[in-house]
Amino acid sequence: MTALLRVAFLNLLRARRRNALAGGTMALGTAALVLGSGLADGISGQLTRNLVATQTGHVQVAARPLDWVPQNNPFDAYGQDVMPGGEALADRLRRDATGLGVVDATPVLYGRGSASASSRSALVGIVGVRPERETALFAQHVPQAGRALPADDPLATYVAAPIARKLGLEVGDTVSFVIQTEGGAFNSIDAVVCGIFRKAAPWHDNFFYLNLETAQALFDAAGGATQVKLTLRADSTSAAHAAARGLLPLIADEVAPEGTRLAVEPYDRAGRFSFAIVQANQVALLVVSSFLFVAAGVGIVNSMLMSVHERTREIGTLRALGLRRAAVAWLFVLEGFALGVCAAVVGVAAGGAVVLWYAAHGIPMNTMTLAWMAGGDVLYPRLEAASVGRAVLLIVGLSTLAAVYPALQAARLLPREALQQP
Amino acid sequence: MTPTFALCALLAATPDATEILRRADTAILNEQAIYTLRMTVVRPGKADRLVEMKGWRMGDLRGLVRYTAPAKERGTAYLRNGDSTYLFLPAAEKVVRVGPKQNFGGGDFSNGDIFRLSLVSDYVPTLVGEEALDGQRAYKLELKAKDRKVAYDRVTYWVRADGTFFPLRAEYYTLSGRKLKWLTVRDVKKLGRRERPVTMVMENALEPGATTTLVFLTIEDDPKLDERMFTPAALERGE
């Protein structure tokens, strides 16, 4: 078999132009697949990291209305109803859920309202957090001016760059928030901008962060939270689902606000919007790669059939010298395999180089639609071993399979007839 | 007349805070009314926005307002029925539920300000004194919200003390005690069967220079109204 494999590789050099064309097509397909996977992995990574760090944690507990229907937007992930005991629940889960792999549980209070500064105002998202427990959040929302939200300044607010620009806010400026509490009363506070964070996912363009206690005072929700965000030791969906199942008994005695129920949501369920984008990308990649592979497969079959036709006398000679049918078939199958391996090496090298270059420099997402798709204004593709391995397996497998039919054609030739061919 | 007797006579003549508020609630619109009004929204640096509308009021729980001008907004309508407020957008041919505290027609009035004209049901009034305001003697009332579901936690309210009980000014405060906006009521004219103030100007404390003015153009007092016109279905049908 080793000898046959060596012959198969050497045979690729015999019809160099044809093999280069067939192999080139496959290499191009492999490069496209590696590039496509890199983009999809980049998008998936950005959306997931952003979701887990800034919104849901790995698992979240939130009060959902009994008739709640997700609106398929990024704000679904935030709880919309205040759990009056949310802060205490977070403290309890941090203490009691360590056995489920929970390393932190922190309360978050999300609401909407208007922010005004120097006669400009806008509808904004307001999020109350405990800054000392939000390292991951502030690693995503990094300051471009000033500093991230300090835990010791109840009047500080940390604002997204786009809304800061819209309201003409700079570090040190005062902004007034006006909101309506869940009950319906208006409330307002003033806060001083401590920092402005760089534009991240577009749905955070008009966000302000406040200290939890300040947000609770603003929303008239002392001790309350719209969700409890749990961070797990293991960073995977399976770990999140397992922890979510384990958390259910721990919150069974918690009283949900009227008309709601407490839901424990792993991040892929809480962030349906992000995962819908990830799935859409995966489907698009699957469709595109299917077309690529069908085209490449047809090319390989054609190339191998031509090879069989051109080498009919050679096959007859080999058969007359005692080479068995199976060995002839194996030779052609291995030639397909060899072609696939060469194409995969070239394709992975080319596609990988492009992915790595863009991973270092980023791809600007210039339109709003692209920014929403990518979860940010810049997409950083990722070269993941699993995706590269999948591309290599696919191309080599396809190439080998495509060689089976021509190989069987070659194996069927009778030595006498083959030798009589012109 | 001794000073003590004079004071007693004054106290006897001054209605209590709840009565002042109840009278002020219906000083502009009767319990049932049909009216037309013009709304002017002024925003610094932007062109003024003018909207004309026709409204129907049936008690404090039912109200309907339909835009009649400009042409591109004609047909837009707000409906208040009990605790629910609806908006009908003719372009979308759809009725959507909106919050009673959302602003009305893009101005500084909230839907609640327009439809829920009765303050007496939401606030506990205290008469804190009489003072001169814009050359008028006025009762000064402090209104405290009955619960935390009421839009403004506190309202300072001036009502004319000349027996007309026309509102003069209202200042609205948030839970944190900030003055959020203030209303000036002026221009007493005869509209319908009686005289009443016809201009209401709302100013926003957070947007200096931003004002919304409502001017009543016509008022028909105590017409017969069918409560079936105050339903989302009727709103959509344009009845």
Side-chain angles (χ1 to χ4, degrees):
Chain A
M1 186 63 81
T2 314
L4 275 179
L5 187 60
R6 200 167 65 225
V7 172
F9 271 102
L10 287 172
N11 276 346
L12 293 183
L13 299 172
R14 290 172 62 188
R16 287 180 193 175
R17 195 173 298 168
R18 193 178 60 236
N19 283 333
L21 277 172
T25 310
M26 289 195 296
L28 207 61
T30 311
L33 191 64
V34 170
L35 184 58
S37 301
L39 293 173
D41 290 338
I43 291 171
S44 167
Q46 281 187 194
L47 287 169
T48 307
R49 273 197 309 278
N50 182 61
L51 178 74
V52 170
T54 68
Q55 291 187 262
T56 62
H58 292 106
V59 184
Q60 69 172 17
V61 180
R64 299 294 190 194
L66 296 173
D67 57 353
W68 187 61
V69 179
Q71 299 299 301
N72 197 25
N73 68 45
F75 307 107
D76 283 346
Y78 288 110
Q80 311 291 324
D81 290 273
V82 175
M83 299 180 283
E87 202 175 348
L89 175 65
D91 292 338
R92 187 167 69 76
L93 291 179
R94 191 179 323 116
R95 207 175 44 242
D96 297 349
T98 48
L100 298 168
V102 172
V103 291
D104 200 6
T106 183
V108 174
L109 181 62
Y110 164 78
R112 298 188 72 79
S114 72
S116 305
S118 55
S119 83
R120 298 180 196 172
S121 66
L123 284 174
V124 299
I126 301 164
V127 184
V129 295
R130 282 182 175 163
E132 69 277 17
R133 298 199 168 275
E134 294 287 2
T135 318
L137 187 156
F138 295 123
Q140 286 288 311
H141 290 170
V142 291
Q144 77 171 31
R147 57 180 180 147
L149 190 69
D152 58 356
D153 184 356
L155 293 180
T157 184
Y158 187 49
V159 52
I163 189 69
R165 197 165 45 246
K166 186 175 177 185
L167 295 176
L169 285 171
E170 290 180 8
V171 174
D173 286 351
T174 299
V175 57
S176 301
F177 298 105
V178 178
I179 60 92
Q180 284 178 271
T181 65
E182 246 181 19
F186 282 106
N187 202 9
S188 68
I189 59 156
D190 286 349
V192 177
V193 176
C194 64
I196 296 171
F197 63 85
R198 224 168 40 210
K199 184 166 168 42
W203 44 91
H204 288 128
D205 278 1
N206 64 348
F207 266 51
F208 286 81
Y209 287 101
L210 293 170
N211 268 289
L212 182 69
E213 289 73 17
T214 311
Q216 287 170 338
L218 177 62
F219 286 99
D220 194 26
T226 48
Q227 69 235 68
V228 173
K229 194 171 145 188
L230 296 112
T231 307
L232 302 180
R233 198 170 294 114
D235 184 16
S236 70
T237 46
S238 55
H241 279 260
R245 282 192 297 275
L247 282 163
L248 282 171
L250 293 180
I251 63 153
D253 294 335
E254 285 291 322
V255 179
E258 195 182 334
T260 69
R261 62 179 179 80
L262 290 193
V264 182
E265 300 167 336
Y267 63 92
D268 58 330
R269 199 176 299 153
R272 287 176 183 83
F273 174 81
S274 300
F275 278 83
I277 293 177
V278 170
Q279 282 166 356
N281 282 323
Q282 284 168 345
V283 170
L285 184 66
L286 185 71
V287 170
V288 170
S289 54
S290 301
F291 280 113
L292 273 174
F293 279 96
V294 168
V298 170
I300 297 162
V301 171
N302 184 47
S303 172
M304 297 300 281
L305 281 173
M306 287 288 288
S307 182
V308 171
H309 180 73
E310 282 174 3
R311 289 156 59 189
T312 304
R313 283 174 63 84
E314 178 190 323
I315 293 165
T317 307
L318 289 171
R319 292 279 288 115
L321 289 171
L323 199 69
R324 292 182 177 177
R325 281 176 192 270
V328 171
W330 267 115
L331 179 64
F332 278 87
V333 168
L334 287 174
E335 280 184 27
F337 171 79
L339 190 61
V341 169
C342 293
V345 169
V346 174
V348 166
V354 174
V355 170
L356 287 175
W357 193 86
Y358 277 119
H361 296 86
I363 304 170
M365 300 282 106
N366 290 327
T367 67
M368 187 55 92
T369 311
L370 285 174
W372 276 71
M373 283 285 289
D377 273 6
V378 180
L379 170 60
Y380 294 94
R382 282 205 317 202
L383 192 63
E384 292 204 347
S387 299
V388 171
R390 194 165 54 237
V392 169
L393 276 178
L394 274 169
I395 203 74
V396 173
L398 174 87
S399 179
T400 309
L401 275 177
V404 168
Y405 174 67
L408 291 175
Q409 291 288 95
R412 276 196 204 106
L413 287 172
L414 296 170
R416 184 166 50 82
E417 288 170 0
L419 286 167
Q420 282 172 355
Q421 290 289 317
Chain B
M1 191 184 291
T2 64
T4 309
F5 181 76
L7 181 62
C8 289
L10 180 68
L11 287 173
T14 304
D16 70 18
T18 305
E19 178 61 12
I20 295 170
L21 190 58
R22 195 184 60 73
R23 299 282 294 270
D25 274 352
T26 52
I28 300 175
L29 286 179
N30 290 3
E31 280 287 304
Q32 288 203 182
I34 300 175
Y35 54 89
T36 56
L37 55 81
R38 182 191 301 129
M39 179 172 77
T40 308
V41 181
V42 177
R43 291 286 179 267
K46 292 183 181 172
D48 292 357
R49 180 165 172 264
L50 253 75
V51 181
E52 290 193 358
M53 49 193 92
K54 183 173 183 181
W56 293 260
R57 182 187 187 199
M58 191 177 187
D60 199 39
L61 293 177
R62 292 189 183 88
L64 173 64
V65 171
R66 287 190 186 282
Y67 287 17
T68 53
K72 66 175 183 180
E73 297 192 44
R74 190 178 296 142
T76 300
Y78 283 90
L79 166 71
R80 166 80 186 269
N81 190 339
D83 287 332
S84 304
T85 307
Y86 304 89
L87 167 65
F88 174 66
L89 294 167
E93 294 184 350
K94 202 173 176 186
V95 174
V96 291
R97 206 174 180 132
V98 293
K101 318 301 186 308
Q102 281 178 266
N103 69 3
F104 175 80
D108 296 294
F109 288 88
S110 69
N111 293 325
D113 296 333
I114 297 289
F115 293 118
R116 196 168 177 82
L117 297 172
S118 167
L119 295 170
V120 78
S121 54
D122 286 342
Y123 293 92
V124 177
T126 307
L127 178 60
V128 294
E130 280 188 38
E131 59 186 45
L133 187 71
D134 298 334
Q136 300 274 350
R137 290 298 302 165
Y139 300 120
K140 185 179 180 185
L141 301 174
E142 282 295 340
L143 313 183
K144 180 69 185 164
K146 286 180 177 170
D147 57 45
R148 301 204 128 187
K149 292 178 182 168
V150 177
Y152 310 104
D153 184 56
R154 187 166 67 83
V155 179
T156 308
Y157 200 35
W158 287 264
V159 176
R160 273 168 66 160
D162 58 2
T164 61
F165 297 97
F166 292 157
L168 281 172
R169 182 180 171 89
E171 293 177 349
Y172 302 92
Y173 293 84
T174 66
L175 284 171
S176 60
R178 157 177 279 158
K179 184 162 76 174
L180 192 60
K181 50 190 180 181
W182 60 92
L183 176 74
T184 309
V185 183
R186 58 170 201 246
D187 299 339
V188 175
K189 282 184 188 167
K190 187 171 184 205
L191 269 190
R193 291 202 295 258
R194 61 182 171 87
E195 287 199 327
R196 62 191 100 204
V198 297
T199 303
M200 299 193 292
V201 183
M202 188 72 91
E203 292 173 77
N204 191 329
L206 297 175
E207 281 189 79
T211 63
T212 303
T213 305
L214 293 179
V215 179
F216 284 94
L217 305 173
T218 63
I219 294 178
E220 182 185 341
D221 292 314
D222 306 319
K224 282 191 176 171
L225 295 174
D226 186 342
E227 66 180 34
R228 284 175 297 186
M229 69 185 290
F230 300 96
T231 61
L235 182 71
E236 197 163 359
R237 289 195 298 269
E239 290 170 3

